[in-house]
């Protein structure tokens, strides 16, 4: 392959992974954990898929790892209310994304302003952020709704007929599951930061005075509500 | 959240899902359809492109001469390279008419960044040591898959969509066997990626990734169009045959290279089998072409052409593809068998690399500005980050922090 093309592919991947690392860092992960996660997703994408049924399997990098992260984020949520909001966001986002796959035209040439993949990711991200007001719930809704949409589409095929196999997260780090999660966090970040700026602060209660907040300088500086 | 609230939510989700199912599959006549007439009407404001009135868009030049007709909605900024190699860019869409002006050359580099990237790439060394690939036949690999594997040809297959495996898979088989005759190793995925909805490209992304792991010289996503049959019929090699459209997605960093690839293929096709390529459509969307700079979508005829005719045309195209990739200088550069040249595939890629880095820095800066609110705070934050991250090297350049 020509040097220029190798560079183009390499730089593209590096920029994507760089943004992905920053996005994960904005949730309940530290810099190093985020880096480790990205590394694991990359390597996991090359490990053979794990078969679930006769024609459905799951990729470790693009499927199992994001699902584990979603589980971890839900487990680490401070309150039952936060957990509930995140699960609600995930379910609503799934309905919205699945509905969108039926409404958005089949060919991207027909789409109004952007590729369906970005439309789905934005939809899930906006719903996740609105419901949970946090980047974590945006990720849960973004990546999780892609997994659930995959499963629903499979049920649909089983009901109406059709032939084919499905690998959940089969494209590894470049799967729509990961891309949707990352995009959702960035959307939440941009919307959230802009909203906070217009509002003139993070919330009515100043930092350090909120309920359930431990110390202003926790181990992880991003480990606060609203992030 | 109380358990009653949870139950209510679950119930709501179930009802909504059921609604979508019934909406999509309530009417029993057509098993696979995107949505019903009512929902199409309802969502027309979202989707003004689904024309149910049987009319088409006509691409016209500034004098009003028709260039082509298509059922596809044309947007401002879309472009089309006609069979005669004239390059048109859509600047206005009114009712059924898309007005296009002829542009001198195809802007393989993004128009906004072209002067910048061209300027910088002038100083780039193109004499990198390249590990030349041996041009032995075992190294030749091409990947084929079908994002819409249910697509079929009505006159031959009896239906326009077969979820168990459409006629387009057979066209893929013909393409594969002809490539194999030419000494190319072919990886052909028979995956259908059903259901036939806009999630299909997300599912086919996994197939594309599987193919790319084999490091193919090119990857083709085979489709068929959905316009009246005469739009795809032309005299090729003295007979009326089915034409092929090459589709390049504009919304990704590889669009310049993929367009260059499409233009190279068309040039060879124009010499060997004039009229075989109906044109190159640079359209909105990605088509998963963000994954590789030598990846094209082919529309082989339309649903009302016969599949046998489509197979004959893809047979001719296989010859074109192998000739371009393995017997021309441009093709050799595409595969890395020749060093990069400023105007070839390598040069275009270099330009895109610079553009990509520039855009990433711009995005990072814009994002930092949003999150800090002022340049002073931005500076303070960058400094603070640099101190935290590089505390062992206090003299380190604070500009190193481009990621946050």
């Amino acid at each position: 392959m020509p040097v220029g093309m190798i560079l183009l592919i390499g730089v593209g991947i590096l920029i994507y992974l760089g943004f992905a690392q920053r996005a994960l860092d904005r949730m309940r992960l530290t810099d190093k954990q985020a880096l480790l996660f990205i590394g694991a997703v990359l390597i996991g994408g090359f490990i053979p898929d794990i078969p679930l049924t006769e024609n459905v399997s799951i990729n470790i990098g693009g499927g199992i790892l994001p699902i584990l992260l979603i589980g971890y984020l839900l487990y680490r949520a401070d309150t039952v209310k936060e957990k509930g909001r995140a699960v609600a966001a995930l379910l609503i986002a799934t309905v919205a994304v699945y509905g969108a796959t039926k409404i958005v035209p089949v060919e991207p040439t027909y789409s109004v302003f952007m590729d369906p993949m970005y439309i789905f990711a934005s939809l899930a991200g906006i719903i996740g952020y609105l419901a949970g007001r946090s980047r974590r719930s945006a990720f849960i809704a973004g990546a999780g709704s892609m997994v659930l949409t995959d499963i629903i589409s499979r049920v649909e095929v089983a009901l109406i007929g059709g032939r084919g196999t499905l690998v959940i997260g089969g494209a590894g780090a470049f799967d729509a599951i990961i891309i949707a999660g990352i995009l959702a966090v960035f959307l939440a970040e941009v919307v959230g930061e802009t909203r906070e700026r217009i509002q003139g602060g993070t919330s009515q209660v100043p930092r350090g005075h909120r309920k359930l907040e431990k110390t202003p300088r926790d181990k992880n500086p991003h480990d606060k509500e609203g992030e | 959240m109380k358990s009653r609230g949870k139950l209510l939510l679950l119930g709501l989700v179930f009802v909504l899902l059921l609604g979508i199912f019934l909406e999509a599959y309530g009417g029993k006549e057509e098993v696979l359809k995107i949505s019903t007439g009512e929902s199409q009407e309802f969502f027309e404001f979202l989707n003004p492109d689904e024309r149910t009135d049987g009319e088409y868009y006509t691409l016209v030049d500034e004098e009003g001469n028709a260039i082509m007709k298509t059922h596809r909605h044309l947007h401002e900024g879309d472009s089309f390279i006609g069979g005669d190699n004239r390059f048109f860019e859509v600047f206005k869409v009114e009712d059924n008419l898309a007005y296009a002006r002829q542009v001198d050359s195809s802007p393989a580099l993004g128009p906004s960044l072209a002067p910048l990237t061209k300027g910088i790439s002038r100083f780039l060394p193109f004499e990198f040591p390249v590990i030349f690939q041996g041009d032995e036949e075992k190294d030749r690999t091409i990947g084929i898959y079908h994002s819409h594997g249910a697509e079929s040809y009505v006159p031959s297959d009896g239906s326009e969509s077969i979820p168990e495996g459409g006629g387009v898979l057979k066209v893929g088989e013909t393409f594969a066997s002809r490539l194999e005759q030419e000494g190319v190793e072919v990886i052909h995925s028979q995956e259908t990626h059903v259901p036939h909805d806009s999630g299909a490209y997300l599912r086919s992304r996994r197939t594309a990734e599987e193919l790319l792991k084999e490091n193919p010289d090119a990857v083709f996503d085979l489709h068929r169009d959905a316009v009246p049959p005469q739009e795809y019929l032309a005299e090729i090699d003295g007979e009326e045959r089915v034409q092929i459209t090459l589709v390049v997605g504009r919304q990704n960093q590889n669009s310049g290279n993929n367009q260059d690839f499409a233009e190279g293929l068309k040039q060879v096709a124009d010499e060997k089998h004039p009229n075989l390529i109906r044109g190159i459509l640079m359209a909105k969307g990605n088509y998963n072409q963000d994954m590789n700079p030598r990846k094209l979508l082919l529309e082989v005829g339309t649903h009302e052409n016969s599949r046998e005719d489509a197979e004959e045309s893809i047979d001719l195209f296989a010859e074109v593809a192998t000739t371009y990739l393995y017997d021309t200088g441009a093709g050799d550069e595409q595969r890395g068998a020749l060093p990069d040249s400023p105007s070839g595939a390598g040069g275009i890629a270099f330009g895109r690399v610079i553009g990509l880095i520039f855009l990433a820095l711009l995005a990072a800066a814009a994002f930092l500005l949003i999150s800090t609110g002022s340049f002073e705070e931005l500076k303070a934050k960058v400094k603070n980050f640099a101190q935290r991250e590089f505390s062992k090297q206090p003299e380190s350049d604070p500009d190193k922090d481009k990621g946050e």
Side-chain angles (χ1 to χ4, degrees), chain A residues 109 112 115 156 163 165 174, chain B residues 25 46 72 164 191-192:
Chain A
T109 32
V112 187
D115 198 78
E156 184 188 334
R163 179 190 62 82
T165 56
F174 311 101
Chain B
Y25 302 109
L46 251 182
R72 283 174 188 268
E164 284 75 26
E191 199 56 63
T192 56

Side-chain angles (χ1 to χ4, degrees), chain A residues 19 23 26 113-114 117-130 133-139 141-142 179-195, chain B residues 367 370:
Chain A
F19 275 95
R26 297 262 143 190
F113 52 98
M114 57 183 176
M117 184 164 73
Y118 307 140
I119 295 179
F120 301 155
S122 310
L123 255 178
I126 290 168
I127 292 166
Y129 179 74
L130 285 182
R133 290 286 164 92
S134 78
R135 299 171 191 119
R136 294 187 300 272
S137 71
F139 182 86
I179 294 175
I182 303 295
L183 265 178
V185 175
F186 269 96
L187 209 67
E189 180 84 23
V190 169
V191 173
E193 294 281 2
T194 313
R195 191 182 60 89
Chain B
F367 176 70
I370 288 174

Side-chain angles (χ1 to χ4, degrees), chain B residues 208-222:
Chain B
E209 175 74 10
E210 278 303 307
L211 299 184
L212 287 171
K213 280 178 185 165
E214 306 293 321
N215 195 20
D217 298 319
V219 177
F220 297 102
D221 183 2
L222 249 69

Side-chain angles (χ1 to χ4, degrees), chain A residues 1-2 4 22 26 31 45 101-102 107 109-110 112-113 115 118 150 156 163-165 174-175 189, chain B residues 25 34 46 49 72 163-164 190-192 197-198 205-206 213 251 286-287 333 335 340 367 389 404:
Chain A
M1 207 183 277
R22 297 317 300 171
R26 297 262 143 190
D31 262 1
T101 63
K102 299 294 161 194
E107 285 292 345
T109 32
Y110 290 121
V112 187
F113 52 98
D115 198 78
Y118 307 140
D150 261 348
E156 184 188 334
R163 179 190 62 82
T165 56
F174 311 101
D175 200 275
E189 180 84 23
Chain B
Y25 302 109
I34 310 155
L46 251 182
D49 323 70
R72 283 174 188 268
E164 284 75 26
Q190 300 268 358
E191 199 56 63
T192 56
D197 59 26
S198 55
R205 205 173 165 78
R206 286 117 190 210
K213 280 178 185 165
Q251 289 172 333
N286 244 350
Y287 313 102
E333 190 184 333
R335 292 180 298 114
D340 290 352
F367 176 70
E389 296 291 313
E404 198 167 9

